[in-house]
Amino acid sequence: MPGTVVVLGFVSLLTDISTEMVTAVLPLFVTMGLGLSPLFFGLLDGFYQAGTAVARIGGGYAADRLGRPKAVAVAGYGLGVLSKVVLLPAAGFAALSGAIGLDRIGKGLRTGPRDALIAEASPPGALARSFGVHRALDTLGALLGPVAAFYLLAVVPGDFDAVFTVSMCVAGLGVLLLLGKVAERPAAPAARPRARLREAVRLAARRTPMRRMLVAAAAMSALTVSDAFIYLTLLERGAVSAQIFPLLFLATGAVYLAGAVPLGRLADRYGRPRVFMAGHVAIVAAYLVASGADGLPAAGVTLALLGLYYAATDGVLPAAAAAMVPGEWRATAISALQTCVALGRGLAAVVFGALWAVAGPAPALWAFAGGLAVVLLFAAPTLLRGPLGGRE
């Protein structure tokens, strides 16, 4: 495995420890601590997803335009550190929202350039495996973050400033690791064409596999419910208690961690879109199980299916995009796909929150499961036509 991929994995590990220390209890804080409705939470989640989407396409385009993906990634990770600084004096919902929004913008900026660095360092036939290794380390950080927060609050009960301070320091270590250990190899100015957004749009329009993947990713993500809503459904149905609610993130992450590399290998061998679609079959099953969950066994099955969904999609999608376009457009292509996903999920959050408010969580999950199943049926013949980023 290339050293750059491993180092970037540890950068993401540290960043996710920092982020998840803060966000593991956010759904409970918003709906129970502040007494806001699931509809409001959906609007809030949709707003953050949309902000991330705008930043994603900007970060990818800037990385290709400047030929400096590392510099853009550093800026994105730096905003993550700054968001923790903003959290320290935060005393209300507005300040908390601003801090989280800043963190999401930073995530959007860094994702495309970071994934372009991973793709640049990886052999063409092992792209999904490289992304799987990176996502596994990233997920390990997501597992350790809530544990670190619980430990700190056990040592200093009620001292949230201690959690925010440690979170800020851990994020800062990630930025230092990126600056010191990841080498950027920009091409010479004469050899590297300067990327223009109009040309990137034309490229996507001309390349049929990329166009099909963009449309499919957007349609599927518009029917993808956020983790928080699934967890809140389990809580609403009494399948889990409020005391163990933050541990649901750990369970999903553990399955993701175990499945990311094996599913990445399968994607490289048998076709990335095939594994990507199989992941969406898993989340349809997760909706159906969660809608009728009445105890811990059903909750466990739901979390396992959710983790498999992430293992089959999160790293596989950028690997597929990286194989479809020339290297000088790699960050833009990856960011475009991830922007479609973020916008779709933002729309899904708002629609699902509204359906919950009108009909309740179970009917809302049934509606999304049916809609996603229909999209999969229509997308399968087109998306699986030809190699589409399968074996190189």
Side-chain angles (χ1 to χ4, degrees):
M1 186 57 54
T4 296
V5 174
V6 176
V7 172
L8 286 169
F10 277 101
V11 171
S12 292
L13 182 149
L14 291 168
T15 303
D16 255 35
I17 290 175
S18 170
T19 300
E20 295 305 323
M21 287 178 69
V22 177
T23 60
V25 296
L26 183 63
L28 277 180
F29 175 74
V30 172
T31 59
M32 298 180 69
L34 297 180
L36 300 174
S37 68
L39 173 59
F40 188 89
F41 181 76
L43 292 170
L44 183 66
D45 190 46
F47 171 75
Y48 290 146
Q49 293 282 5
T52 303
V54 173
R56 281 180 197 272
I57 195 66
Y61 175 65
D64 285 335
R65 174 70 175 168
L66 301 173
R68 300 292 303 277
K70 177 183 172 180
V72 179
V74 167
Y77 281 107
L79 283 177
V81 177
L82 182 60
S83 72
K84 309 306 185 298
V85 178
V86 175
L87 272 175
L88 285 171
F93 179 73
L96 180 65
S97 297
I100 296 171
L102 192 63
D103 181 74
R104 297 298 88 188
I105 291 172
K107 178 178 175 62
L109 279 178
R110 67 183 179 250
T111 301
R114 180 205 63 205
D115 286 351
L117 288 169
I118 294 171
E120 182 183 71
S122 302
L127 280 171
R129 185 183 62 178
S130 291
F131 279 102
V133 169
H134 173 269
R135 294 320 196 249
L137 288 168
D138 181 273
T139 304
L140 180 59
L143 291 174
L144 295 175
V147 174
F150 282 128
Y151 174 76
L152 282 172
L153 290 176
V155 173
V156 282
D159 190 354
F160 289 98
D161 281 351
V163 176
F164 298 154
T165 301
V166 173
S167 172
M168 176 185 66
C169 293
V170 173
L173 287 174
V175 175
L176 292 176
L177 182 61
L178 175 61
L179 283 169
K181 295 296 183 180
V182 174
E184 188 170 59
R185 296 175 295 174
R192 185 183 186 106
R194 298 185 67 81
R196 297 186 183 279
L197 188 58
R198 192 185 324 172
E199 295 170 15
V201 173
R202 288 176 180 170
L203 179 70
R206 288 199 310 266
R207 289 180 174 257
T208 302
M210 185 67 186
R211 186 171 64 244
R212 293 204 298 260
M213 184 62 86
L214 281 167
V215 173
M220 294 177 194
S221 62
L223 289 161
T224 302
V225 180
S226 74
D227 302 0
F229 276 124
I230 294 176
Y231 300 156
L232 288 171
T233 299
L234 296 175
L235 182 67
E236 175 80 10
R237 294 191 56 82
V240 298
S241 65
Q243 287 73 24
I244 69 168
F245 185 89
L247 301 180
L248 303 183
F249 293 85
L250 297 180
T252 299
V255 176
Y256 181 7
L257 178 63
V261 176
L263 287 173
R265 288 177 178 271
L266 285 175
D268 284 329
R269 184 171 183 180
Y270 296 110
R272 291 156 196 152
R274 290 180 175 85
V275 174
F276 181 72
M277 294 191 68
H280 285 83
V281 173
I283 203 171
V284 169
Y287 295 166
L288 297 175
V289 175
S291 66
D294 56 2
L296 280 177
V301 172
T302 300
L303 300 178
L305 289 167
L306 187 59
L308 287 173
Y309 158 73
Y310 281 113
T313 59
D314 196 38
V316 171
L317 185 63
M324 292 178 187
V325 297
E328 64 268 20
W329 296 109
R330 191 171 280 150
T332 302
I334 292 172
S335 295
L337 268 174
Q338 292 169 335
T339 298
C340 289
V341 170
L343 288 173
R345 288 181 179 172
L347 175 62
V350 175
V351 173
F352 188 85
L355 282 176
W356 180 317
V358 172
L365 281 175
W366 297 337
F368 268 63
L372 185 52
V374 170
V375 169
L376 287 171
L377 287 174
F378 276 96
T382 300
L383 193 61
L384 300 181
R385 188 185 307 156
L388 279 180
R391 297 187 66 178
E392 308 299 336

